[in-house]
Amino acid sequence: MVNLKGLMMILELHRQGLSVSAIAERTGHDRKTVRKYIDRGLVAPKYRSRTPRPSQLDAYKDYLRERLAAWPELTGARLLREIRELGYSGGHTVLKDFVRLVRPKPVAGFEVRFETAPGVQAQVDFAEFKVAFASESGLERKVWLFAMVLGHTRYLWAQFVMHQDLPTVLRCHMEAFEHFRGVPREILYDRMKTAVLGEPDADKPIVYNAKLLACGSHYGFVPRACQPYRAQTKGKVERPYRYIRADFFMARQFLDIADMNRQLRQWLDTVA
């Protein structure tokens, strides 16, 4: 049998005009072999199809399909933790490739990254969540996630609360400062009623809640409101909400709001 290099040599010598006998003498093959390969020419090699090798992920694919069908925004990291608890010992890459096939890719948007120096700014906002606590069967409650994100590091402190009132807002500020062991020079807010009084109006100066100003004076920060209808200016605090929904909140059960915050704190400390 002639290998590819020998075949190429036979065909090249034939192209140069050498006779079959001369090619046989030059290459060391008999004339029948030379003539056969000249007649056949350069043919692409044929390979037998291989049977796909079994993957450790195969046993968990139905589970993953069901989870993504019910909760399409679950992150790959969350799914990996879940199937590891079920006994999966394979890698993350094969899971990531499979998840990419099962659900469609989100449309990527264009963002301008806004940076701040260390200690200069934090961003604060609330996000609404609807949850049915196990201790209150059949009752769906609306709870709020207060989040404060440091502008330079994107470090997050968050807590679920039952109300958005001013005492709750001020208490969350104090607990966040204690957790950070420091206070940023300014805090950026959406036009939440507990921070900014009145409706947004570009022609009028912003009036901040007096108690929030007093809190800022005591701790050493200045409140600053987002521009009207420009919520993207506080994207550092809004992006984590999407992450928290997909990787922490979805497909999880909570006994009550205290349990909800215990699980959140564990997730923030060990995962996020």
Side-chain angles (χ1 to χ4, degrees):
M1 184 175 180
V2 178
N3 60 26
L4 180 60
K5 184 177 179 181
L7 172 60
M8 295 296 292
M9 185 175 182
I10 290 171
L11 296 178
E12 176 60 23
L13 294 173
H14 175 67
R15 188 187 66 80
Q16 294 176 13
L18 272 70
S19 66
V20 170
S21 298
I23 295 173
E25 184 179 352
R26 182 80 63 89
T27 61
H29 299 294
D30 62 57
R31 287 179 295 175
K32 289 183 179 180
T33 299
V34 171
R35 187 175 291 108
K36 179 180 71 172
Y37 283 106
I38 290 174
D39 293 340
R40 179 186 298 177
L42 187 60
V43 179
K46 295 181 180 180
Y47 302 100
R48 290 187 298 176
S49 59
R50 293 183 177 181
T51 303
R53 295 176 59 186
S55 166
Q56 291 188 46
L57 191 65
D58 290 343
Y60 306 93
K61 286 182 177 179
D62 288 342
Y63 173 83
L64 293 169
R65 288 189 184 96
E66 291 176 3
R67 293 293 277 170
L68 289 170
W71 306 94
E73 296 178 4
L74 285 177
T75 64
R78 167 74 179 273
L79 293 168
L80 179 63
R81 294 197 301 273
E82 291 186 3
I83 61 175
R84 286 233 190 274
E85 291 177 359
L86 297 174
Y88 176 69
S89 59
H92 177 252
T93 301
V94 63
L95 169 67
K96 184 170 64 174
D97 292 342
F98 177 73
V99 168
R100 188 182 297 117
L101 292 174
V102 170
R103 65 179 173 198
K105 294 180 182 179
V107 179
F110 176 78
E111 288 186 349
V112 177
R113 193 175 175 94
F114 176 71
E115 301 293 353
T116 54
V120 170
Q121 187 187 87
Q123 298 182 6
V124 162
D125 202 3
F126 279 103
E128 177 185 318
F129 288 74
K130 292 182 179 179
V131 59
F133 291 124
S135 60
E136 301 174 337
S137 59
L139 177 63
E140 185 178 67
R141 282 191 176 274
K142 183 186 295 185
V143 299
W144 304 90
L145 180 64
F146 174 96
M148 183 180 291
V149 178
L150 300 181
H152 180 70
T153 62
R154 272 66 170 179
Y155 187 80
L156 168 71
W157 183 88
Q159 187 173 85
F160 287 100
V161 296
M162 301 298 295
H163 307 286
Q164 285 185 290
D165 56 13
L166 185 61
T168 300
V169 170
L170 297 179
R171 174 178 56 80
C172 287
H173 277 68
M174 290 185 283
E175 292 184 20
F177 297 155
E178 182 178 355
H179 179 81
F180 292 144
R181 298 183 182 179
V183 181
R185 291 205 292 268
E186 68 175 24
I187 299 179
L188 184 64
Y189 301 88
D190 195 1
R191 300 264 171 152
M192 62 173 67
K193 294 179 180 179
T194 49
V196 179
L197 303 180
E199 294 296 324
D201 191 335
D203 297 329
K204 296 180 181 179
I206 297 172
V207 179
Y208 295 97
N209 188 297
K211 291 186 178 180
L212 180 64
L213 290 173
C215 179
S217 177
H218 175 76
Y219 283 98
F221 72 87
V222 175
R224 179 181 158 211
C226 290
Q227 297 178 31
Y229 316 114
R230 289 288 304 279
Q232 64 267 32
T233 58
K234 57 178 180 57
K236 294 171 189 174
V237 75
E238 292 191 338
R239 277 188 292 273
Y241 288 134
R242 297 193 292 269
Y243 176 43
I244 290 171
R245 284 187 193 278
D247 198 272
F248 169 75
F249 179 74
M250 289 180 175
R252 191 185 289 260
Q253 294 183 338
F254 310 100
L255 179 64
D256 51 28
I257 196 164
D259 178 51
M260 197 176 192
N261 279 316
R262 278 194 296 270
Q263 292 191 45
L264 175 65
R265 178 49 52 196
Q266 181 184 25
W267 179 83
L268 289 170
D269 290 343
T270 60
V271 177

